[in-house]
Amino acid sequence: HWPCGHSVLPDNSFWQTHYGLAPVLAATPIGSGHIHHTYKLVTGRGTYIAQQFNTHVFQHPERIHHNLR
């Protein structure tokens, strides 16, 4: 949900507002994707994976939602 083309993670207020996550203590890139950016987020309540979809390639990411596990 954060803007395509921005490889910098949003600040803590974004994660708290949109996902209800506790402050992000650490964010580590996972892999070196050419289409998407993937990050491991560590918070006070757990560890999460966040992926920034490239909306230039996938113009309607909601259509592939069924692929999530």
Side-chain angles (χ1 to χ4, degrees):
H1 282 65
W2 69 91
C4 180
H6 293 213
S7 59
V8 176
L9 282 170
D11 63 17
N12 278 316
S13 65
F14 174 88
W15 301 111
Q16 289 173 333
T17 301
H18 295 284
Y19 297 99
L21 293 177
V24 175
L25 305 173
T28 307
I30 297 174
S32 58
H34 296 285
I35 298 174
H36 308 300
H37 296 141
T38 306
Y39 300 91
K40 176 182 173 183
L41 305 175
V42 178
T43 74
R45 296 187 317 192
T47 302
Y48 302 88
I49 300 297
Q51 187 171 56
Q52 176 190 25
F53 277 80
N54 183 327
T55 56
H56 293 291
V57 175
F58 291 96
Q59 295 180 5
H60 302 282
E62 67 279 0
R63 293 182 185 168
I64 62 168
H65 184 264
H66 65 277
N67 291 335
L68 298 175
R69 297 177 197 213

